Amino acid sequence: MSDSATTGGESLEHELETLLSVERFDPPEPFKEQALLDDPEVYERARRDPQGWWAEQAAALDWSREWDTVLDDANPPFYKWFTGGKLNASYNCVDRHVEAGIGDRVAYHWRGEEGEERDVTYADLHRDVQRFANALKDLGVAPGDIVGIYLPMIPEVVVSMLACARIGAVHNVVFGGFSAESVRERMEFSEAKVLITVDGARRKGRTAPIKATVDDVMGDLATLETIVVVRSTGIDAPMTDGRDHFYDEICDAADPVCPPEPFDAEHPLFILYTSGSTAKPKGILHTTGGYLTGVAATHRHVFDLKPESDVYWCAADVGWITGHSYIVYGPLLNGATSVMWEGAPDFPHQGIWWELVERYKATILYAAPTAIRTFMKWGAELPGKYDLSSLRLLGSVGEPINPKAWLWYRRVIGGDRCPIVDTWWQTETGAIMITPLPGIVATKPGSATLPFPGIFAEVVDESTGEPIDEGQGLLVLTQPWPSMLRTLYKEDDRFVETYFARFGERTYLVGDAARKDKDGYFWIIGRIDDVVNVSGHRLSTAEVESAIVAHERVAEAAVIGQSDEDTGQAIAAFVTLRGEIEGTDVVVEEIRAVVAERIGRFARPKRIIWADDLPKTRSGKIMRRLLRDIAEGRALGDVTTLRDPGVMGALEQKIKEGQAQEN
Ligand code: PRX
C-alpha cells in the first residue's frame, strides 16, 4: 500500500470515529428541494385517515373495476383490502407503460457475469410476458394454480413471475441459493403444478448443473406435471418426454397475444416460503391489490423515485422478498429503469458494483448491510477508482446496520450528499414499514427512524403488551396495512398462532425486539424467536438442526446465531456425535456438506463445537439461551433448571480451546 493510501485510510478512520458522535443528519438541502415529499404533514394526514391515504395510493394503479370497500376488517386477523376491486398485476407493471408511450424505456439494464449486457425494455417485457403466459395456459395452467420458479438472476425470472400474474397463477419463487432438496420441499408443500427452472446457473466463473440436480430429487412428486427449462448457459439438460419443455420452444409455439384478465383484489399473487421457529418453512401468502398498492407507494416515496431520470439498483436476489417487492413489482409498477446484476459482489473483481454504478449511472442503490461491511473491509480505494457521482440516494435492508457501516456508506459511497434510508420490513409485511422519508426525516445512523405514513408501529412491554414511549420491548404493528400477508398457505391456524395469539387478533407480532428513543425513533434490535439472520438471509435454527442430524454420525445438534462482524449473525452448531466417534475436520466438512445439500450453502455452520452433552431441562428441552450466552462470552444466566449443570463448564472449556485455535 502506498503512503498516501495509508494516510487516506487513517484519516477516513479518524473521520468516521468523529462522525460517530453526530446524533442526526438532516436531509441535505439540495435533496430536499427536489424531493417528491417534503412536507411532514403527510404523516399527520395518513394518521388521521389511514384508509383515505391508502385509497389514494391504490388509485395510482390501474383498476378494471374500482373497489367497493377499502378495508374489510369483519373477520380479524383475516383482513381484506380493496374488496370488489379488480385489476391485473402484469397489466399494471407492463402494458400501461407501453400504452402510455414509454415502451422504449429500459426496464432492466441486465448485466451477466461474463460482461454480457441486455437492455430489456417495457415493450420487450410486454412481448415476452404475453407469449409465456399463453405457453403456460397451453400447458394447462389455470388461475389459482401454483407455479414454482427456481431461476438465477436473469431477465426470464421477471418474465416468469409476470406471466403467472397475467393469468392468475400463483408464483412460488425459491431463491437460487437454496438446494434442490429445498425446492422439492417447497413444491411439495404448495402442490405446485409447474416448475420453471434453468439448464445451469453461473456463479463466479463456474456453471452448476441445475436441471440435472432438480431431476435427482423431483422424480416422485405426484402434483408436479411439468418442468419448463430456460436455456441460459447452454449446458446439457436432461429432459423427460411429456413432462419437460424448453422455455424458448413453448414460447415460439404460443400465441403472441394474451389479453390481461382482471382478477379480484384479493386474488393470490404469490407464495414465498420463509423461515420461522420450526423446521417447516412458512408459506407467506400475498394477494394482488393490497400488495401492489403497498410496494408501489413505498418504492416511489421511500426512494423518491423519478422514473424519467433515475436509474435504480436493488442489489438483492429476486428469490427473496426484497427482490419480489423492489426488483420486480415496485420498480415496474412505477415505470422505473433498474440495474439487474447476475453475479456476486466479488466477481470478476471486487470493484464490480462500482463499475456497474459508473457504467449505468445508477442514481439509487439499495443493498444489505452485510455487503456494505464487506466493502468496508476491502477498503475505500476500490470504490474510489470509479465515478459514483450519479448516486443521489442510498438504501439499506435486511438486518440492523451498525453506525460505523452506515457512516462509511454515507461518506465513501454517497460522497456525503446522499440520504440513507434504512428500511425495516419482512417477507410478511410485503413492503417497507419503518423507514425515513428522505426529503423529510432526519436520519440517525443505525435507526430505521419512523413508520411509513399509514403504518402504525409500537414497541410494547413483553408481558403486559402496553406501549412503551421510550425504551425497549417487542415490536408490533397495531393496525392492518394493505400489503400484509393474508395467511400462511394452507395453515390458517399457524398464521393466527404465530402472529396474533400473543396480543390479540388486531396486533401483529413482528418477532423482533426494538427500542424507541426520546424522539419516537425505532431501533431494531433483532429476532426474539429461533430465527437467525446470516447476511440478511433468514434461517430457522430448527431447520439447520434437522439437516445436521441427518448426518449418520450425529446424535444431537443445537444451533444458535452468534454475532458476526461480517455477516451480522453466523451459525454455530453444538453437535453430539454417536458412540465413540471423534469429531474430526472430515466430519466437520461432511456436516457442512449435508447442510448445503438439504438447505443451501449459505446455511452451512461457520463453527461446529463438539459437545459430549447439551444443556437440557429436566423435561429434555435444550436451553439454547445458555448456549448463546457461552458462545457470546456472556455471564451464564440461571442454570438451576438444568438436569446436569456440569454440562456448561465442559462446554465453556471447549469454546475457550476453540477460540485459542482460531486465533
Ligand atoms: O429481523 C428483521 C430483519 O429481517 C427480518 C425479516 O427477514 P425477511 O423476511 O427475510 O425480510 C428481509 C428483507 C425485508 C426482520 O424481522 N430486518 C429486516 N430489515 C431490517 C431488519 N433488521 C434491522 N434493520 C432493518 N432495516
Side-chain angles (χ1 to χ4, degrees), residues 274 320-322 366 396-401 422-428 434 448 510-512 524-527 533 536-538:
T274 187
W320 301 102
I321 191 67
T322 307
Y366 190 32
S396 171
V397 61
E399 38 168 341
I401 179 163
D422 174 2
T423 62
W424 173 86
W425 57 295
Q426 310 176 292
T427 308
E428 289 89 338
I434 303 183
V510 161
D512 283 345
I524 312 299
I525 293 164
R527 302 288 310 186
N533 192 329
H537 297 167
R538 183 168 157 180

Side-chain angles (χ1 to χ4, degrees), residues 93 97 102-110 118-122 125 299 303 305-314 326-340 359-365 392:
C93 287
H97 303 311
I102 55 164
D104 286 347
R105 184 180 290 169
V106 173
Y108 297 99
H109 292 295
W110 180 80
R118 258 164 83 182
D119 276 354
V120 181
T121 64
Y122 280 90
L125 286 176
H299 182 256
F303 298 109
L305 185 86
K306 317 284 181 351
E308 310 75 32
S309 53
D310 274 318
V311 176
Y312 161 89
W313 182 14
C314 168
Y326 298 109
I327 294 178
V328 182
Y329 288 108
L332 293 180
L333 288 167
N334 288 326
T337 296
S338 298
V339 174
M340 187 173 183
R359 166 92 181 106
Y360 300 112
K361 298 195 170 43
T363 56
I364 303 167
L365 177 65
R392 65 181 194 90

Side-chain angles (χ1 to χ4, degrees), residues 167-466:
I167 61 171
V170 182
H171 58 72
N172 174 8
V173 179
V174 183
F175 166 53
F178 274 114
S179 66
E181 294 255 8
S182 295
V183 179
R184 190 209 133 87
E185 184 183 59
R186 284 156 174 75
M187 296 306 111
E188 189 180 337
F189 293 160
S190 66
E191 294 180 29
K193 193 167 177 178
V194 176
L195 172 65
I196 304 164
T197 187
V198 74
D199 50 3
R202 303 188 298 190
R203 193 70 178 168
K204 299 197 192 185
R206 287 206 307 258
T207 301
I210 302 297
K211 174 60 168 56
T213 319
V214 164
D215 273 7
D216 286 346
V217 297
M218 211 60 76
D220 57 338
L221 258 196
T223 47
L224 191 74
E225 294 172 7
T226 306
I227 299 184
V228 176
V229 182
V230 177
R231 281 191 261 226
S232 170
T233 58
I235 63 164
D236 266 354
M239 300 293 277
T240 301
D241 257 359
R243 185 194 66 178
D244 301 350
H245 302 272
F246 282 116
Y247 171 91
D248 52 313
E249 288 175 3
I250 56 174
C251 283
D252 285 348
D255 194 320
V257 180
C258 177
E261 199 184 320
F263 291 100
D264 284 342
E266 284 296 343
H267 186 81
L269 182 62
F270 66 86
I271 313 171
L272 184 58
Y273 280 89
T274 187
S275 298
S277 290
T278 65
K280 189 175 182 225
K282 305 186 285 196
I284 307 294
L285 179 81
H286 283 289
T287 59
T288 309
Y291 172 80
L292 297 181
T293 298
V295 297
T298 49
H299 182 256
R300 193 171 153 74
H301 297 311
V302 173
F303 298 109
D304 187 52
L305 185 86
K306 317 284 181 351
E308 310 75 32
S309 53
D310 274 318
V311 176
Y312 161 89
W313 182 14
C314 168
D317 191 285
V318 176
W320 301 102
I321 191 67
T322 307
H324 280 57
S325 300
Y326 298 109
I327 294 178
V328 182
Y329 288 108
L332 293 180
L333 288 167
N334 288 326
T337 296
S338 298
V339 174
M340 187 173 183
W341 163 231
E342 181 187 28
D346 59 350
F347 188 87
H349 59 87
Q350 294 181 336
I352 184 67
W353 275 32
W354 319 121
E355 184 189 321
L356 295 181
V357 167
E358 180 181 285
R359 166 92 181 106
Y360 300 112
K361 298 195 170 43
T363 56
I364 303 167
L365 177 65
Y366 190 32
T370 293
I372 299 156
R373 286 192 296 267
T374 305
F375 296 135
M376 265 174 92
K377 215 164 63 181
W378 291 343
E381 297 79 15
L382 270 176
K385 287 187 195 151
Y386 298 89
D387 178 7
L388 307 183
S389 62
S390 55
L391 288 171
R392 65 181 194 90
L393 179 71
L394 301 174
S396 171
V397 61
E399 38 168 341
I401 179 163
N402 48 311
K404 188 116 178 245
W406 193 101
L407 290 166
W408 189 91
Y409 197 26
R410 179 177 179 278
R411 175 87 193 78
V412 177
I413 306 304
D416 291 336
R417 63 182 186 279
C418 306
I420 295 184
V421 289
D422 174 2
T423 62
W424 173 86
W425 57 295
Q426 310 176 292
T427 308
E428 289 89 338
T429 68
I432 294 168
M433 297 282 106
I434 303 183
T435 175
L437 285 175
I440 300 177
V441 176
T443 50
K444 302 184 188 185
S447 168
T449 75
L450 303 172
F452 186 78
I455 299 300
F456 295 79
E458 297 278 3
V459 171
V460 299
D461 182 275
E462 195 169 340
S463 39
T464 64
E466 286 302 312

